[in-house]
Amino acid sequence: MAELLRSLSDSQLVARFQSRCGLYPAPPEKSTQKYIVKNYFYYYLFKFSAALGEEIFYITFLPFTHWNIDPYVTRRLIIIWVVIMYIGQVSKDILKWPRPSSPPVVKLEERLAHEFGMPSTHAMAATAISFTFLISTMNRYKYSFALGLMLAVLFSTMVSLSRIYTGMHTVLDVIGGILISGLFIAVSYPAWDFIDHLESASLLFPICILVVPFFLCYNYPVSDNYTPTRADTTTILAAGAGGTIGFWVSPFFKLVSEPTESAIQSIPPLTTKMLGLGLTKFMVGIVVVFLVRQLMQNLSLQVLYSWFKVVTRNKEARRRLEIEVPYKFVTYSSVGICATVFVPMLHQFLGLL
């Protein structure tokens, strides 16, 4: 067993996978070139797959699901995603297992190169998102379970393999991430309905859902060297907190209806009119979300820079605990509230619902 674990965590195994997919380190004489790509199909496939586990995917896919598919499903996706990502991010900074060594591995993502490796949060999130979506929809909509399962496995597999291809994780990191997500889903599934009803159980819920995540972010495990894990964790927890506040507020404005428990719904046919409406809702919503993100980021940074007497646009100052956590939390909790409350209100005003 020990020998198997060592082989799965071996950087040479990652390097061999990269070379089989046509990715090689550049020769020493090519000092300006870091790597050579000989198979661009795998290169773009895995680069795209890696993006499916990053902010650009979550800030588009989760709102799209909420606006166009099913707010009930989105609520479950966000809760599971937030908890899974927090477990993964904290585990990295507690275990402190290094990423694959370079050389021999080619690393394609310099921003994340200084983070620790175990577990792969991309693999965790991809597994959690795909299988939570499958479980949450299979008893609400009529579709082939085999097809849904195949798509969930395909999605999580492609994102997981992309982490090996990009040199960010060993095989053991990826397997560990998948197993943690699978175990969490299995253990937490019986409580999903209880958590759904917990949101409306108390008027203190919105306060708790803001205070607890902020406390967790502010008391994030300290690393010897700066890594973006604390900032990324704050982004995730804040977006989740803002979205959950939105779910709590939405019924007061009649923006969403309670899920029907009686019958499984048929998936409506994808007509040109429906496609156009969905794209319009998405484009209107995503523009508002990005504007709110930029506005709240600028405002919160200006206030914090002034409060702590820091030179404006000092990027290094953003990494300070007392600046990084509050500005990230304010920015992305605002994004979450905007996506779940103000954008649906705008859709309603424009007659898009």
Side-chain angles (χ1 to χ4, degrees):
M1 177 62 73
E3 185 61 32
L4 175 62
L5 292 177
R6 277 195 294 271
S7 65
L8 291 176
S9 62
D10 189 2
S11 296
Q12 291 288 349
L13 186 60
V14 178
R16 285 200 295 272
F17 178 79
Q18 289 181 325
S19 63
R20 285 180 180 273
C21 294
L23 182 66
Y24 302 89
E29 61 269 17
K30 296 188 177 182
S31 57
T32 59
Q33 193 172 346
K34 294 182 179 179
Y35 55 87
I36 295 174
V37 178
K38 293 189 177 180
N39 189 319
Y40 278 96
F41 172 77
Y42 285 127
Y43 177 77
Y44 289 115
L45 174 65
F46 288 126
K47 289 285 282 185
F48 173 77
S49 299
L52 297 178
E54 296 172 359
E55 180 187 348
I56 189 63
F57 172 73
Y58 300 121
I59 207 171
T60 53
F61 171 73
L62 293 174
F64 181 87
T65 304
H66 183 73
W67 301 330
N68 290 300
I69 300 178
D70 195 337
Y72 169 81
V73 173
T74 311
R75 185 165 68 232
R76 293 189 167 195
L77 286 173
I78 288 178
I79 292 171
I80 298 300
W81 169 64
V82 167
V83 177
I84 277 291
M85 289 298 289
Y86 181 76
I87 292 172
Q89 295 286 78
V90 170
S91 297
K92 282 184 180 182
D93 284 333
I94 291 177
L95 295 174
K96 297 185 177 182
W97 287 20
R99 290 191 184 273
S101 56
S102 178
V105 172
V106 177
K107 292 188 177 181
L108 302 185
E109 298 177 5
E110 292 299 326
R111 175 183 174 271
L112 302 176
H114 300 295
E115 285 187 6
F116 296 106
M118 171 63 86
S120 167
T121 48
H122 275 70
M124 290 179 70
T127 303
I129 288 286
S130 56
F131 283 92
T132 299
F133 189 89
L134 174 66
I135 294 169
S136 298
T137 57
M138 66 183 185
N139 293 323
R140 287 177 56 75
Y141 298 97
K142 294 178 182 178
Y143 65 87
S144 168
F145 176 77
L147 177 61
L149 179 62
M150 183 181 70
L151 292 175
V153 171
L154 178 63
F155 180 85
S156 54
T157 299
M158 291 309 301
V159 174
S160 298
L161 287 177
S162 75
R163 307 318 292 156
I164 301 173
Y165 179 86
T166 55
M168 292 293 101
H169 289 285
T170 64
V171 176
L172 186 61
D173 296 341
V174 168
I175 293 175
I178 294 171
L179 291 178
I180 291 171
S181 279
L183 179 62
F184 179 79
I185 290 173
V187 170
S188 66
Y189 175 69
W192 285 9
D193 287 334
F194 171 76
I195 294 171
D196 278 339
H197 295 296
L198 186 65
E199 291 185 4
S200 58
S202 172
L203 293 175
L204 294 176
F205 178 80
I207 299 174
C208 294
I209 210 64
L210 287 174
V211 171
V212 173
F214 185 82
F215 175 83
L216 292 174
C217 295
Y218 211 85
N219 291 276
Y220 190 82
V222 178
S223 299
D224 297 332
N225 299 312
Y226 178 83
T227 67
T229 49
R230 184 181 66 200
D232 292 344
T233 304
T234 305
T235 295
I236 293 163
L237 264 64
T244 306
I245 294 294
F247 298 141
W248 186 82
V249 170
S250 292
F252 294 103
F253 295 100
K254 302 187 183 321
L255 297 175
V256 295
S257 58
E258 286 300 311
T260 55
E261 303 289 346
S262 56
I264 298 178
Q265 306 172 46
S266 297
I267 299 176
L270 186 62
T271 62
T272 304
K273 180 180 178 181
M274 180 180 291
L275 181 61
L277 179 63
L279 289 175
T280 302
K281 289 168 68 175
F282 176 72
M283 293 306 299
V284 168
I286 208 66
V287 167
V288 173
V289 164
F290 276 100
L291 287 175
V292 167
R293 184 181 71 161
Q294 195 62 41
L295 174 64
M296 296 308 298
Q297 176 176 291
N298 292 339
L299 285 176
S300 57
L301 281 174
Q302 288 295 331
V303 171
L304 289 165
Y305 284 164
S306 176
W307 181 270
F308 292 105
K309 297 180 172 55
V310 174
V311 177
T312 305
R313 300 188 182 279
N314 185 342
K315 292 186 178 181
E316 288 299 317
R318 290 191 187 189
R319 297 181 174 182
R320 289 167 50 178
L321 173 66
E322 63 272 20
I323 293 179
E324 183 175 68
V325 171
Y327 106 76
K328 286 278 187 181
F329 202 88
V330 168
T331 298
Y332 285 93
S333 59
S334 300
V335 165
I337 294 172
C338 173
T340 51
V341 178
F342 295 112
V343 170
M345 290 177 71
L346 180 60
H347 287 162
Q348 194 175 64
F349 176 76
L350 295 174
L352 298 175
L353 289 183

